[in-house]
Amino acid sequence: MPELPEVESVRRQLTPQLTGRRIADVWWDAHPHARLSDLDLAVGRRIERIVRRGKFLLCTLDPTDDGDTLELVLHLGMTGSFSIRPTEPTPTGLATTDHVRVRFDLDDGRTLRFADPRRFGRASVIPAGDYVDRIPTLATLGPEPLSSAFDPAAFAAALAATSAPVKAKLLDQRLVAGVGNIYADEALWRARIHPASRRVGRVRAGRLHQAIVEVLTAAVEREGTTFRDYQMVNGESGRYAAFLDAYGQGDRPCRRCGEPMRRTVIAQRGTTYCPRCQR
DNA sequence: CCTGGTGCCTGGGTGC
DNA sequence: TGCACCCAGGCACCAG
């Protein structure tokens, strides 16, 4: 379940490996449900830089001979991961046994492999910045939580504007970008807000804003959380799992008050919270 | 527009 | 041991 800290960790590992490299060849999975499109357009292009927006990785490609600027958009979904290894001398397509969905053969004898067992990830080449038509979620993405664009007053106003459970709003990506199930539970625990709460006033919104920033900052420092599937480009695990206070702690006492943590379902997502100190 | 519900996908776990 | 079933969840899509 790669969320902002995990995707940021992947970006930091990919950037020195891929920046300046030219994509010599691309192989990809023709599965009918694969969320892969126009990857052939990346052939011959050089990767100029990689930025992250929410849970998306955006790779800017150098202009084509026709002067078009394209962008490679990557999303890890639930189970996506990247690895870099020497290009196989005899290309045989994809190694489907380990769920490789895309192979980007680079100009330096190495291959970037995108594996994704559950096929929830995506990889698309689009005209740079053309999100409204191609990737609506990216077009309506909320502010980056670890930037000055994440404004407490605007966040409070957005929380007050609608009546869905606060956890659903955190998962929505339009109020704030990059928060998924793990860090939603963590931030709500830290802010002492019940995940099903439909009314979050200014004071609690301020606490939640601060909790989101703190939790994501701490998780980025630990290179994210490895709970099940996520791993980094180098195959290592994120180290934040040992610091989780809420997510996956359904059988433990609350680390703040000792009350047994409770597990429920909110917004169709498994949700763990403390019934005593999250009101 | 807002909200909640379903489906997509597959490995791993559970219960019989 | 085998097998049916269910669950994990980011996002697209749909209905009310």
Side-chain angles (χ1 to χ4, degrees):
Chain A
M1 49 223 79
E3 306 177 24
L4 185 152
E6 292 76 30
V7 178
E8 176 62 19
S9 299
V10 169
R11 186 194 69 80
R12 290 179 184 183
Q13 292 202 343
L14 286 180
T15 294
Q17 303 290 333
L18 300 183
T19 302
R21 296 270 61 83
R22 193 175 293 281
I23 297 171
D25 202 358
V26 181
W27 301 70
W28 74 96
D29 190 340
H31 188 280
H33 294 292
R35 299 170 187 186
L36 310 171
S37 59
D38 295 325
L39 297 180
D40 52 316
L41 297 179
V43 174
R45 303 271 62 75
R46 193 181 298 276
I47 298 170
E48 293 189 327
R49 63 182 176 276
I50 307 175
V51 300
R52 181 192 53 73
R53 270 290 278 141
K55 303 171 194 172
F56 288 88
L57 289 174
L58 310 175
C59 308
T60 301
L61 306 177
D62 66 346
T64 66
D65 293 341
D66 299 331
D68 298 324
T69 303
L70 301 174
E71 193 172 3
L72 171 61
V73 179
L74 304 168
H75 194 296
L76 296 172
M78 274 285 293
T79 56
S81 65
F82 292 102
S83 61
I84 296 173
R85 60 178 60 199
T87 300
E88 293 174 17
T90 306
T92 54
L94 299 168
T96 53
T97 51
D98 43 12
H99 307 290
V100 174
R101 310 304 185 193
V102 188
R103 266 182 57 179
F104 297 94
D105 293 346
L106 306 175
D107 63 352
D108 63 353
R110 297 180 305 158
T111 291
L112 172 69
R113 309 199 326 171
F114 177 42
D116 182 21
R118 291 179 216 178
R119 300 181 191 273
F120 279 17
R122 75 177 296 163
S124 305
V125 174
I126 65 170
D130 186 15
Y131 307 136
V132 174
D133 292 329
R134 305 299 189 99
I135 306 175
T137 304
L138 197 43
T140 60
L141 205 57
E144 280 298 316
L146 300 184
S147 79
S148 59
F150 189 37
D151 176 64
F155 182 61
L159 283 175
T162 57
S163 65
V166 60
K167 170 144 178 185
K169 294 175 188 174
L170 292 182
L171 298 177
D172 181 89
Q173 305 302 302
R174 288 178 294 185
L175 272 69
V176 56
V179 176
N181 206 36
I182 294 175
Y183 300 105
D185 278 9
E186 292 302 305
L188 289 165
W189 181 88
R190 186 174 290 229
R192 307 186 192 197
I193 296 171
H194 194 293
S197 176
R198 292 175 186 272
R199 289 205 309 263
V200 175
R202 190 177 306 172
V203 172
R204 294 201 303 163
R207 285 213 309 268
L208 184 55
H209 178 279
Q210 183 178 350
I212 291 168
V213 173
E214 290 174 354
V215 164
L216 293 178
T217 299
V220 167
E221 288 172 359
R222 303 274 176 181
E223 298 179 287
T225 302
T226 296
F227 206 76
R228 293 190 181 83
D229 305 297
Y230 164 72
Q231 65 176 29
M232 285 177 285
V233 181
N234 61 10
E236 292 180 0
S237 296
R239 303 183 305 279
Y240 194 69
F243 297 85
L244 294 174
D245 292 309
Y247 182 86
Q249 308 299 307
D251 54 349
R252 298 247 181 84
C254 174
R255 289 186 178 175
R256 192 163 44 213
C257 75
E259 182 84 0
M261 299 288 283
R262 185 172 297 172
R263 187 185 150 78
T264 183
V265 175
I266 294 170
Q268 289 73 245
R269 296 292 170 255
T271 300
T272 307
Y273 67 103
C274 172
R276 183 158 148 196
C277 54
Q278 288 177 260
R279 301 287 187 181

